[in-house]
Amino acid sequence: MKGRRYLAVHLPFWAAEHLRQARPDLPADQPLALWARQGARRLLAALDHHAAAAGLEPGQALADAEALLPELQVLPAQPEASAAGLRDLALWAQRFTPISAALPPDGLLLDITGCDHLFGGEAPLLASLISALAKTGLSAQGAIASAAASAMALARVRRDAPIIQPGAEEKAVAPLPLGPALRLPGAMLEDLARLGLRVIGDVLRQPRAPLARRFGAPLLDALDAATGRRAPPITPIAAPPDLAVTRALPEPILTAEAIAALLDRLLAALCARLSRAGLGARRLCLTAWRVDGTEQRLMIGTGAPNRDPAHLARLFAEPLTSLAPELGFERFTLHALATDPMGAEGQGALPMGAAPRPDGVLAQLLDRLGQRLRLARPAPLPSHWPERQWRAAAPHEAPSPTPPGWGARAAPVLLRRRPEAVQVTAFAEGAPAALRWRGRHYALTRAEGPLRLEAEWWHGGALPPARDYHRVQLASGERLWLCHADGRWVVQGDLP
Amino acid sequence: MTADTPSPPRSAALARLRDTLAGLTTRAPGGAASAPIPVFADTSLIGAGLARGALHEVCAASPGSGVAFAAILLARCGGQVLWIATEQESNLVWPPGLLPFGLAPDKLILARAARWPEALWAMEEALRCPALGAAVLMAGSGQGLDLTATRRLHLAAEAGGVFGLLLRPEGAAGASAARTRWHIAPLASADAPRWRLSLLRQRGGAPAGPWQVAFNAATNTLHLEAGGG
């Protein structure tokens, strides 16, 4: 294990801050606490820094905490979501090194051996990681050492981002308090405290054999890992290796031609791997690292799995123009973020009974158009309420069958995006006879209706008022679809 | 370009040449797939219908009538239809209303462009794609569509063999390279819609109409009313 370097990140308020990222509606300046049920009691599970600064502690009863801090916002803890978020964060951390691991509940571990020079050294690497996390609203403490557990123990306790030279781990961890640094069980900590052992150094000075007899192997294992005497393996989160290709360039490139040529090479390599794996790409991300250390990302999506380099290159053509090379790019990575199984002959694998998707040429056209326009295939819905008669399905979805009777009702051919207010100025036998519309007066030659539509009560919630629809014709022959609801008249659409 | 009238033997030779060229330039291999799109029986149309692989225009006095007429034509070309509109358009094409005119939702793909140049780009891309049956672009009154743009679209339609349709409001249309230009206005009607339809211009032929037509949904035909024209 000699020669390896590890960067550990401790996220002291991870669960709360992660939840806050997902819920921007929570006021940022008010304390937040998450609670979990333990038996019949509701205990604080996680806090943010406001709540911690106000003196609350995890494990406290929720009712006590609310009494102490009336402005406390409380939400139920979501351990699965926060664990998944931590895994995502570990994947994100792969921008610094290919080997990263999530250490639940609130830690990240990166093997940065040989990576630090890309960022100008270990200290700038650590600083840029912490500041990148801070930008997304995460408090983080980091440390670098030659043993993973030493770095983790230091990150949990020290806020000054220590960087420990190889061999100095034992000295560095000696003053750390046992509880926060090693995450030992509470009962063991109490026993150690009764013996007067509070920091790691205290325990290290004790003879090992009695310690092992008294506390068992877990304590010694934790100590050995923290001092770097023994290094347990870490379990990195790695993206499946066949889904990404990287090219590092000896000389930065900045012309559009050079970038396009490089993209062609990356696509060819990626498509060859996809072909071997029997996959087609659905979403690709091209990451370009500039010489000044910033990165730019371009995303494309396809409607059907695809591994044709020429087609994918065409989809990238438009986004490529948005790259700003400045002094040049020195490194490119092409990730297949989403893939689907794809047969050898190019037809996407279909679930049983599914209708075939649009064929190749049409799918490629839709892909190209879909980069710049919003495409939708109308999928009929069995509803009488006008706005719910169809939904916009993905254009690559197989067309859904039209239910019998759908669209048979005399429907408008155009619907106003926003209903247009209109005044009915005269009535004949309860039906509109004259309109004031767009500042002009119109006599109606014909009016049919009303056709009363009641909202679909089975959807629950607040029901919109019932609507009366009238089909009216102006003297010019133009036919409008009027809606009368809640005492208001609007033009809702055009009839043929 | 066709200023001088050719003498009879020359015109026969030209007609043969035109036929040969038409056979060469028609992309779709099938007979029915490349046949012109019928409108109704007596339209005095060159070629007895609207040519595929060409751009056509419909100018509508009321938005509803134009969309309905477009739906009838698009349904007849078979194949998938791309319907392009911009986000600025205040009306949404409403698929349930198009079904009575023969255009089923499973044939329809709706495209919404954020800006007009993107809508034009999409129209051109779509017209170049032989996998599509037809593409229609809804042009508002304020949207630039000059001779150059329409010629570009027409060439794209020729290249892809796709039926192209421009849907424009009345009075907005200036010079255009479209093969035909139609005008449609609604007429007073009891139940099924009735329209006054006229062929304002066609390339290589004379204007025709107006006709009074009504659409019969049961037979999917436009029929000419007696006394029209």
Side-chain angles (χ1 to χ4, degrees):
Chain A
M1 280 295 120
K2 215 174 186 106
R4 298 213 78 86
R5 299 291 283 166
Y6 294 94
L7 189 162
V9 181
H10 174 58
L11 303 157
F13 308 114
W14 164 247
E17 286 170 346
H18 177 240
L19 195 81
R20 210 188 266 281
Q21 283 179 335
R23 292 273 307 272
D25 53 309
L26 296 173
D29 51 351
Q30 286 195 23
L32 172 69
L34 310 185
W35 56 267
R37 210 172 268 284
Q38 200 169 53
R41 305 174 64 204
R42 297 198 297 178
L43 304 180
L44 293 192
L47 308 169
D48 74 347
H49 65 278
H50 295 297
L56 300 185
E57 279 176 2
Q60 210 169 7
L62 177 64
D64 295 350
E66 282 183 309
L68 283 172
L69 205 58
E71 71 269 31
L72 184 69
Q73 314 164 76
V74 293
L75 289 168
Q78 300 170 346
E80 292 88 9
S82 103
L86 196 65
R87 275 197 301 280
D88 288 347
L89 201 62
L91 280 175
W92 166 84
Q94 287 187 328
R95 57 191 263 168
F96 296 99
T97 160
I99 305 174
S100 68
L103 293 187
D106 51 9
L108 290 180
L109 193 58
L110 278 62
D111 182 340
I112 55 160
T113 315
C115 296
D116 53 320
H117 71 276
L118 292 173
F119 301 87
E122 290 181 339
L125 168 60
L126 183 53
S128 71
L129 174 60
I130 301 294
S131 76
L133 289 171
K135 261 183 224 157
T136 64
L138 294 173
S139 331
Q141 301 166 198
I144 295 179
S146 287
S150 322
M152 202 66 240
L154 287 160
R156 282 177 189 147
V157 178
R158 284 174 60 172
R159 297 188 182 173
D160 55 344
I163 294 174
I164 308 305
Q165 292 313 309
E169 280 80 16
E170 193 164 333
K171 206 173 354 154
V173 299
L176 303 181
L178 283 168
L182 296 186
R183 296 262 160 107
L184 296 174
M188 192 191 285
L189 278 178
E190 278 173 24
D191 288 351
L192 287 165
R194 218 169 292 139
L195 296 173
L197 308 177
R198 292 174 198 280
V199 298
I200 294 180
D202 294 344
V203 188
L204 287 177
R205 278 191 292 276
Q206 306 302 315
R208 282 175 72 86
L211 268 185
R213 264 204 311 279
R214 177 83 168 78
F215 297 104
L219 174 64
L220 291 182
D221 285 349
L223 279 176
D224 287 349
T227 53
R229 284 184 203 155
R230 200 142 47 99
I234 68 170
T235 322
I237 284 197
D242 57 335
L243 298 182
V245 286
T246 299
R247 288 278 182 283
L249 303 163
E251 284 283 312
I253 59 171
L254 35 74
T255 64
E257 292 79 20
I259 294 172
L262 186 89
L263 176 65
D264 284 347
R265 293 222 310 276
L266 287 171
L267 280 170
L270 185 74
C271 289
R273 290 185 185 183
L274 287 170
S275 170
R276 277 201 297 279
L279 296 172
R282 290 293 308 280
R283 222 143 43 82
L284 293 180
C285 173
L286 177 71
T287 313
W289 275 275
R290 225 157 65 174
V291 283
D292 58 3
T294 63
E295 59 169 53
Q296 293 170 32
R297 281 164 196 251
L298 306 175
M299 306 273 254
I300 60 155
T302 66
N306 193 300
R307 53 166 182 257
D308 173 11
H311 175 57
L312 297 173
R314 258 204 307 278
L315 298 185
F316 267 117
E318 167 88 14
L320 271 186
T321 58
S322 68
L323 280 182
E326 306 278 333
L327 296 172
F329 295 109
E330 57 180 1
R331 189 179 154 89
F332 286 84
T333 301
L334 186 63
H335 276 272
L337 298 179
T339 57
D340 274 346
M342 184 175 162
E345 73 286 354
Q347 176 68 48
L350 289 172
M352 291 285 281
R357 294 175 174 212
D359 68 342
V361 183
L362 185 57
Q364 293 195 359
L365 172 75
L366 296 179
D367 277 349
R368 254 178 299 142
L369 297 182
Q371 309 301 320
R372 290 169 67 174
L373 277 75
R374 282 174 35 207
L375 299 180
R377 194 181 269 286
L381 297 176
S383 168
H384 67 270
W385 197 249
E387 286 87 341
R388 280 201 209 104
Q389 283 185 342
W390 61 282
R391 69 181 174 88
H396 290 83
E397 263 178 42
S400 35
T402 309
W406 185 83
R409 210 181 273 270
V413 290
L414 288 171
L415 206 74
R416 293 279 186 280
R417 198 182 288 248
R418 186 169 300 156
E420 200 178 342
V422 68
Q423 278 172 278
V424 175
T425 50
F427 290 89
E429 295 168 10
L435 296 183
R436 194 165 173 77
W437 177 44
R438 294 178 179 168
R440 288 182 59 190
H441 201 78
Y442 294 91
L444 301 181
T445 54
R446 211 183 139 74
E448 279 174 58
L451 171 71
R452 168 155 288 216
L453 295 186
E454 295 278 355
E456 295 166 317
W457 51 264
W458 51 89
H459 286 300
L463 288 183
R467 298 175 179 176
D468 284 329
Y469 280 102
H470 296 260
R471 297 156 56 90
V472 302
Q473 188 162 34
L474 311 183
S476 66
E478 185 163 358
R479 301 205 296 169
L480 300 174
W481 205 45
L482 296 189
C483 174
H484 181 220
D486 233 3
R488 287 177 60 229
W489 288 87
V490 292
V491 177
Q492 211 183 353
D494 290 293
L495 295 164
Chain B
M1 293 295 121
T2 56
D4 51 345
T5 332
S7 59
R10 265 185 77 195
S11 76
L14 273 179
R16 272 203 309 282
L17 268 174
R18 272 204 199 100
D19 286 351
T20 324
L21 276 177
L24 287 175
T25 51
T26 309
R27 282 293 179 86
S34 61
I37 293 148
V39 184
F40 53 92
D42 171 40
T43 46
S44 331
L45 263 175
I46 301 282
L50 296 178
R52 288 164 201 266
L55 187 69
H56 303 272
E57 276 185 21
V58 172
C59 301
S62 74
S65 58
V67 170
F69 184 53
I72 293 171
L73 298 178
L74 296 168
R76 288 179 182 180
C77 57
Q80 297 280 316
V81 175
L82 184 71
W83 197 301
I84 306 167
T86 59
E87 301 275 2
Q88 290 85 42
E89 195 76 40
S90 58
N91 290 318
L92 298 167
V93 175
W94 204 244
L98 304 183
L99 184 62
F101 296 102
L103 189 56
D106 57 358
K107 290 220 185 141
L108 199 57
I109 302 165
L110 304 175
R112 300 259 299 279
R115 291 170 304 123
W116 177 241
E118 280 179 353
L120 279 176
W121 167 82
M123 182 70 172
E124 189 182 342
E125 289 282 310
L127 290 175
R128 280 186 200 285
C129 177
L132 215 56
V136 53
L137 175 61
M138 286 174 84
S141 48
Q143 277 147 347
L145 200 55
D146 57 1
L147 187 61
T148 319
T150 50
R151 185 176 290 148
R152 224 184 136 82
L153 293 181
H154 178 70
L155 290 175
E158 269 187 341
V162 178
F163 178 70
L165 200 61
L166 290 177
L167 203 50
R168 317 178 73 167
E170 191 179 44
S176 162
R179 272 298 149 98
T180 62
R181 176 182 287 169
W182 296 82
H183 180 264
I184 185 164
L187 290 174
S189 63
D191 187 31
R194 292 168 66 235
W195 301 304
R196 187 172 60 244
L197 194 61
S198 40
L199 182 56
L200 295 183
R201 79 151 76 123
Q202 61 176 323
R203 180 72 61 88
W211 303 277
Q212 286 188 16
V213 295
F215 183 72
N216 184 336
T219 57
N220 191 19
T221 48
L222 271 176
H223 51 93
L224 210 53
E225 293 182 352

